[in-house]
Amino acid sequence: PDPSSPLEALARRPSNSSDSSSSGLAVSLEDKHDLEALTDPAELDALITLLPPRIQAALQDHPRRLQLLEVVLDLGRRPLARFADGDFVLSEKLLDYDDIARALANVGDVGADNRAGINGTLHRISVIRNRQGAVVGLTCRVGRAIRGSAELVRDLLISGRSVLLLGRPGVGKTTAIREISRILSDE
């Protein structure tokens, strides 16, 4: 692997590192500028606009918004912006059912796997349900396209061989799969 490639830069992290948040997202602090370069501000705005207004305002003005990894909205808790080096509280007001419903109204259908997307973007939404099936939390992960992230397996793809991608959350599996899809559709 090319250690200077964007995917490798984003995936680097020593196993005993304390440079990431408790979510296990593997973006090293040294690579925050790489993350900003990979973030399309217009696409990020599509994620931000689904959030309740007070949270939108906090993110629109946040100086590190292009480094955003995900937004966590859990009922009865403060909304969080998750960055590689930790979480940032977006509002002191606790989230209520109206906040969750407002965010869900702007998301595509939530499937049986409790995941959804925002139409026309790479962003992913995961929901948490209570025992009655009501959504009580959302994690909105910023999706980024990284060209060249599947070059290591290009020869396998062209040959028709199977490829298995394994890794911790946040290391680029979905990003690589998007790139694999692009390669296969272009070939």
Side-chain angles (χ1 to χ4, degrees):
D2 177 5
S4 66
S5 78
L7 184 62
E8 287 299 315
L10 290 175
R12 268 192 321 262
R13 181 179 145 218
S15 59
N16 62 352
S17 171
S18 60
D19 288 348
S20 69
S21 68
S22 59
S23 72
L25 296 170
V27 177
S28 66
L29 292 176
E30 302 84 48
D31 301 315
K32 64 185 176 186
H33 298 295
D34 291 337
L35 194 59
E36 287 179 9
L38 295 170
T39 304
D40 177 356
E43 182 138 331
L44 180 60
D45 287 342
L47 176 72
I48 292 172
T49 58
L50 78 81
L51 303 170
R54 72 179 184 282
I55 300 168
Q56 287 181 33
L59 278 172
Q60 290 293 356
D61 298 333
H62 198 285
R64 296 176 54 213
R65 67 189 285 268
L66 294 178
Q67 298 169 28
L68 182 67
L69 298 176
E70 59 189 20
V71 177
V72 180
L73 306 176
D74 289 331
L75 183 65
R77 295 189 178 193
R78 298 178 302 179
L80 299 175
R82 187 154 287 152
F83 297 95
D85 59 348
D87 296 349
F88 175 82
V89 175
L90 294 168
S91 172
E92 290 300 323
K93 183 180 177 205
L94 302 181
L95 291 160
D96 59 26
Y97 279 110
D98 289 337
D99 294 321
I100 302 294
R102 189 174 297 117
L104 275 176
N106 295 315
V107 173
D109 292 331
V110 176
D113 62 351
N114 292 320
R115 294 177 186 241
I118 302 170
N119 292 335
T121 74
L122 300 174
H123 307 308
R124 294 167 296 173
I125 313 298
S126 299
V127 302
I128 299 171
R129 297 180 187 271
N130 64 14
R131 290 182 182 173
Q132 291 75 38
V135 174
V136 294
L138 290 92
T139 300
C140 309
R141 179 162 293 174
V142 177
R144 293 176 173 90
I146 304 176
R147 286 206 172 262
S149 58
E151 287 303 316
L152 291 172
V153 295
R154 179 183 276 279
D155 57 335
L156 294 172
L157 298 173
I158 303 304
S159 73
R161 308 255 336 245
S162 295
V163 177
L164 174 64
L165 302 176
L166 299 172
R168 296 182 311 270
V171 298
K173 296 179 302 294
T174 302
T175 300
I177 290 169
R178 283 189 200 108
E179 182 69 1
I180 287 169
S181 297
R182 187 192 64 77
I183 288 170
L184 293 174
S185 69
D186 289 348
E187 297 295 324

